[in-house]
Amino acid sequence: MIFSTLSLYVARRFGAYFAMACGTVFLLVMLIDTVELLRKSANSGATFDQVLLLAALHAPSLILTILPFVTLLSAMACFASMARSSELVVTRAAGVSAWRLTAPTLVAGAVIGAASFALLNPIAAGALQRFETLKARYFDEAASVLSISPQGLWLRQRSAQGQEVIRAWRADRTGAQLWDVSVFRFDHQDRLAARIEAARAVLEPGAWRLHQVRAWRFDPLRRDAPPAETRAANMRIETELTHERILESFSPPQTISFWDMPAFIDTMEAAGFAADRHRMHWHSQLAQPVLMAAMVLLGAAFSMRHARFGGLGWMALSAVLAGLGYFMLSNVAQAFGSIGAIAPVLAAWAPPVAMILIASGLLLHLEDG
């Protein structure tokens, strides 16, 4: 009974520090993001209410990114406060091992990690998607020109007559070649002016080159008139799109819910595009419970030193530096996993597993000699 009561006490203590840290981080993120957006809005005319809404929509995704670091700081604060109040000495004198003492915070960290991808990730993804849309509207930024659905991939581009929407069932990995292409051309009043079907489209500098073309031209003033049909071996359609802009227009992984990501990856690969970046993000979210547990262990290993021995400040600084070092190495691994240089599964899971092993070794060394 003493151990269950102690476990609940430690878990509540850790939860209180975690809640305070999250609240503090939220306020800081809102403040910094609001100031940055206000600076950008100086030339766009966006109102303060709109800027505040954008900051609120952006905050969940930023908090999700730094949540492991918040967990590390919470664990450090929890165990350091217990060390200063001599609670650690009392519990160790009662025969409670360091592992038994950290077990409730490990469980709490794993629960936080599971909640981060199961609950917070869908909320943050939806908010970030809305943020990107409103930001493009308020600040007159370029919106995404590409979207992917089970009906194929869709591209939007401007033309001299209005705008054109391109649908293709398949593409190569760069988006420079499309197959089974349909082009819908609209005038400035958003009326359908022409439809073009092509077996293949190749992106050239400044234009799409269509092959095996069949086109229908509509009269906007006579909707009941039959369209004029033409056929051609080749056709050239001017465009401002480039390979880089097409690839950059994919929905960022952060704007897609964890639960919707597998279907989106399947759709991307069916369309012919590489989905390593999105698969990497999905696995990194799935590994959050292991990462949070590693951050808890790391914080405990550097802060479970009795206050009379001194050096708590240096140990806290060492923990922060170790956490920053982990994030740097993790970002490198994710970069390699996103481009397919290493398997996304390995890039996502290896850093947190390695960190939990290193933190366990530190705890053994510092607490058990």
Side-chain angles (χ1 to χ4, degrees), residues 30 33-34 37-38 41-42 44-58 130-140:
M30 283 289 295
D33 212 23
T34 300
L37 291 170
L38 283 172
S41 68
S44 66
T47 65
F48 180 76
D49 291 342
Q50 292 171 339
V51 167
L52 202 61
L53 174 61
L54 288 175
L57 291 173
H58 199 202
R130 183 63 176 166
F131 167 80
E132 296 290 348
T133 301
L134 293 179
K135 185 181 178 184
R137 180 189 304 172
Y138 295 155
F139 297 157
D140 296 325

Side-chain angles (χ1 to χ4, degrees), residues 143-166:
S144 175
V145 299
L146 180 146
S147 64
I148 294 182
S149 72
Q151 290 73 40
L153 63 95
W154 300 78
L155 288 164
R156 184 181 68 255
Q157 64 182 33
R158 290 180 296 180
S159 67
Q161 294 78 25
Q163 70 170 350
E164 294 169 339
V165 177
I166 303 173

Side-chain angles (χ1 to χ4, degrees), residues 316-327:
L317 178 61
S318 299
V320 172
L321 293 177
L324 292 176
Y326 165 79
F327 284 113

Side-chain angles (χ1 to χ4, degrees), residues 82-339:
M82 293 180 67
R84 285 194 300 270
S85 62
S86 299
E87 290 172 299
L88 286 180
V89 176
V90 174
T91 55
R92 296 302 300 278
V96 180
S97 68
W99 300 103
R100 190 64 181 265
L101 195 60
T102 57
T105 56
L106 283 174
V107 174
V111 170
I112 290 170
S116 69
F117 74 75
L119 300 176
L120 181 58
N121 177 270
I123 296 173
L128 184 60
Q129 192 172 41
R130 183 63 176 166
F131 167 80
E132 296 290 348
T133 301
L134 293 179
K135 185 181 178 184
R137 180 189 304 172
Y138 295 155
F139 297 157
D140 296 325
E141 295 181 353
S144 175
V145 299
L146 180 146
S147 64
I148 294 182
S149 72
Q151 290 73 40
L153 63 95
W154 300 78
L155 288 164
R156 184 181 68 255
Q157 64 182 33
R158 290 180 296 180
S159 67
Q161 294 78 25
Q163 70 170 350
E164 294 169 339
V165 177
I166 303 173
R167 186 192 68 181
W169 285 105
R170 191 164 56 90
D172 65 0
R173 293 173 65 91
T174 65
Q177 291 196 60
L178 311 176
W179 286 270
D180 297 327
V181 180
S182 299
V183 181
F184 303 91
R185 182 172 290 167
F186 298 88
D187 61 17
H188 293 288
Q189 284 74 42
D190 291 331
R191 296 174 299 189
L192 183 63
R195 176 181 174 181
I196 304 170
E197 300 283 344
R200 185 167 65 99
V202 180
L203 183 59
E204 300 176 347
W208 288 100
R209 177 71 63 179
L210 307 182
H211 300 271
Q212 301 179 27
V213 179
R214 187 180 181 187
W216 295 267
R217 187 175 301 277
F218 301 91
D219 187 350
L221 301 179
R222 299 174 56 194
R223 306 305 303 170
D224 55 347
E229 181 179 349
T230 58
R231 295 174 183 263
N234 295 282
M235 180 182 290
R236 189 174 184 273
I237 297 179
E238 294 185 358
T239 183
E240 297 177 351
L241 299 179
T242 62
H243 301 178
E244 292 77 13
R245 188 178 178 190
I246 291 175
L247 294 178
E248 290 173 357
S249 291
F250 278 113
S251 297
Q254 294 80 6
T255 63
I256 303 172
S257 168
F258 172 85
W259 304 107
D260 296 334
M261 186 69 77
F264 185 83
I265 290 173
D266 291 340
T267 302
M268 279 188 66
E269 293 180 334
F273 290 97
D276 292 327
R277 183 163 64 112
H278 294 74
R279 185 175 283 106
M280 175 71 222
H281 180 76
W282 188 81
H283 279 288
S284 65
Q285 292 299 307
L286 193 62
Q288 286 292 304
V290 178
L291 175 57
M292 298 300 181
M295 292 295 105
V296 168
L297 269 182
L298 186 64
F302 281 104
S303 57
M304 292 184 69
R305 180 185 177 93
H306 194 269
R308 67 184 178 88
F309 294 123
L312 285 178
W314 285 108
M315 297 192 74
L317 178 61
S318 299
V320 172
L321 293 177
L324 292 176
Y326 165 79
F327 284 113
M328 291 177 61
L329 293 176
S330 177
N331 287 337
V332 172
Q334 290 187 18
F336 281 111
S338 297
I339 63 176

Side-chain angles (χ1 to χ4, degrees), residues 64-82:
L64 188 63
T65 302
I66 62 177
L67 194 61
F69 198 71
V70 174
T71 305
L72 171 64
L73 295 178
S74 302
M76 289 172 52
C78 175
F79 289 109
S81 66
M82 293 180 67

